[in-house]
Amino acid sequence: MPIVYVVDDEKVISQTLAMILNASGFRAVSFTDPADALRSAETIIPDLLISDVVMPEMNGIELAIRFRSAHPGCKVLLFSGQGGTVDLLESAKRQGHDFHILTKPVHPKDLLAAIAKL
């Protein structure tokens, strides 16, 4: 089973997405703190990172860049409900990072379809 880390500072969202993924044949683990996800990846490397972009301590783009640096084989899917993420994505793109992004709220079918494309 592919291992998926779901990171969102809103506990209900991270847990709900993890439940959907677990019911769909993945081994998903939810996190509300990006630093916890990074620490966990030191022992269990996920196949996929799904992260919200706008979070208080570390945004999802920073998290994705750190994940890709430490674990180049880990795929990344970002999601956001805020329009301000465009500037963050453009800045990451200028640094050579290109990420897939979904708009919140994410419908389970859209999430699974985006994962299949990765």
Side-chain angles (χ1 to χ4, degrees):
M1 277 196 287
I3 299 169
V4 181
Y5 282 7
V6 180
V7 184
D8 193 306
D9 58 312
E10 293 183 46
K11 188 175 186 176
V12 171
I13 292 174
S14 65
Q15 289 180 339
T16 301
L17 290 177
M19 284 190 305
I20 291 166
L21 292 168
N22 283 325
S24 301
F26 297 92
R27 183 174 154 217
V29 182
S30 67
F31 298 90
T32 56
D33 183 344
D36 289 341
L38 284 168
R39 279 190 292 277
S40 184
E42 291 173 6
T43 54
I44 301 173
I45 300 169
D47 300 293
L48 172 63
L49 168 69
I50 299 175
S51 179
D52 186 15
V53 173
V54 180
M55 295 184 287
E57 298 299 319
M58 177 189 315
N59 72 50
I61 293 172
E62 292 173 88
L63 176 63
I65 291 170
R66 290 178 67 178
F67 253 85
R68 281 221 176 131
S69 175
H71 313 290
C74 181
K75 297 192 182 328
V76 174
L77 180 62
L78 300 173
F79 61 95
S80 180
Q82 304 203 10
T85 60
V86 172
D87 291 338
L88 293 171
L89 286 170
E90 286 301 317
S91 175
K93 193 175 273 192
R94 284 191 300 274
Q95 297 174 33
H97 304 283
D98 192 19
F99 300 111
H100 299 279
I101 188 159
L102 295 174
T103 304
K104 274 185 178 180
V106 178
H107 189 280
K109 287 183 182 180
D110 295 334
L111 175 64
L112 294 172
I115 291 170
K117 288 180 184 178
L118 292 175

